[in-house]
Amino acid sequence: MEKIIKRLGLLVVVFVAFSCDDDITEFNINSSLSEEIPVSATEADQNIAYEATIDAKEDSEISKNLEKIKEYEVEEVSFRVADYSGPDTANLSGTLSVGNATTTFSADIPSLNIKLFADEEYTIALSEEQLDALETILLESNQLKVTFTGSVSEVPVSFTLIISAKTKVKVDAA
């Protein structure tokens, strides 16, 4: 009986060791990579054009593990308006694009009352294939290019447009 228990115990140890090898050699970093776009529209110009780079290396945990990154998982891309100052009836509309120099995915922002919807988070509808493409872009360069072009219906207004990519980064622990 003692031999059977020892053999079963050995089998359990071997099974656990082989079934958990990824858990032992990898860990995840959850991050919200973001870029803040300061917007200030005056009487002279109601148009907004902005281009920036979301750099994953600005996240200290990702930066510490840069050489060990195995993959990025982009869970969602979203935007929100913060720190709004201006007329209660001003609307924002435009196009938000994310990607790199050769591949971009765009979402139209229909006329949105800025004051009414300030501080609300809006998820950009992207397909699994588009999210996969963004993951590949991040894995290759650790960066995403963000572009916003649009306009406001009334001026003067000022606010911050915050674009975020909620990500999970798989890192080799070895």
Side-chain angles (χ1 to χ4, degrees), residues 10-73:
L10 181 61
L11 284 174
V12 168
V13 168
V14 169
F15 175 76
V16 168
F18 282 109
S19 65
C20 297
D21 63 339
D22 280 347
D23 294 339
I24 294 171
T25 62
E26 298 173 350
F27 65 94
N28 293 324
I29 300 170
N30 294 317
S31 180
S32 183
L33 306 174
S34 63
E35 177 65 23
E36 294 185 3
I37 300 172
V39 176
S40 181
T42 63
E43 296 293 335
D45 191 9
Q46 291 178 248
N47 295 318
I48 304 163
Y50 190 85
E51 184 176 304
T53 301
I54 294 176
D55 192 345
K57 294 176 281 190
E58 291 179 6
D59 180 300
S60 62
E61 284 299 307
I62 293 173
S63 183
K64 285 192 300 192
N65 295 288
L66 210 51
E67 300 301 319
K68 298 177 183 179
I69 293 175
K70 294 177 80 171
E71 70 181 45
Y72 282 91
E73 179 184 332

Side-chain angles (χ1 to χ4, degrees), residues 3-171:
K3 285 184 181 183
I4 293 174
I5 293 174
K6 285 182 181 180
R7 288 183 182 169
L8 283 175
L10 181 61
L11 284 174
V12 168
V13 168
V14 169
F15 175 76
V16 168
F18 282 109
S19 65
C20 297
D21 63 339
D22 280 347
D23 294 339
I24 294 171
T25 62
E26 298 173 350
F27 65 94
N28 293 324
I29 300 170
N30 294 317
S31 180
S32 183
L33 306 174
S34 63
E35 177 65 23
E36 294 185 3
I37 300 172
V39 176
S40 181
T42 63
E43 296 293 335
D45 191 9
Q46 291 178 248
N47 295 318
I48 304 163
Y50 190 85
E51 184 176 304
T53 301
I54 294 176
D55 192 345
K57 294 176 281 190
E58 291 179 6
D59 180 300
S60 62
E61 284 299 307
I62 293 173
S63 183
K64 285 192 300 192
N65 295 288
L66 210 51
E67 300 301 319
K68 298 177 183 179
I69 293 175
K70 294 177 80 171
E71 70 181 45
Y72 282 91
E73 179 184 332
V74 178
E75 296 172 354
E76 70 179 24
V77 177
S78 62
F79 74 93
R80 71 183 176 91
V81 171
D83 304 321
Y84 176 71
S85 175
D88 291 350
T89 55
N91 291 328
L92 170 70
S93 60
T95 301
L96 178 64
S97 301
V98 62
N100 63 11
T102 58
T103 305
T104 60
F105 303 105
S106 299
D108 288 329
I109 300 171
S111 187
L112 181 71
N113 180 284
I114 307 169
K115 183 165 179 76
L116 185 62
F117 293 103
D119 298 319
E120 296 288 327
E121 192 85 16
Y122 297 93
T123 301
I124 298 170
L126 296 172
S127 69
E128 278 300 315
E129 291 80 21
Q130 292 169 324
L131 291 172
D132 290 346
L134 293 178
E135 292 165 2
T136 300
I137 291 168
L138 275 169
L139 192 58
E140 291 171 355
S141 66
N142 296 301
Q143 297 180 336
L144 291 174
K145 178 181 166 186
V146 175
T147 306
F148 178 78
T149 55
S151 63
V152 291
S153 63
E154 297 178 55
V155 290
V157 298
S158 66
F159 57 90
T160 303
L161 184 63
I162 303 169
I163 301 162
S164 300
K166 184 177 176 186
T167 60
K168 186 186 312 183
V169 184
K170 189 178 285 188
V171 177

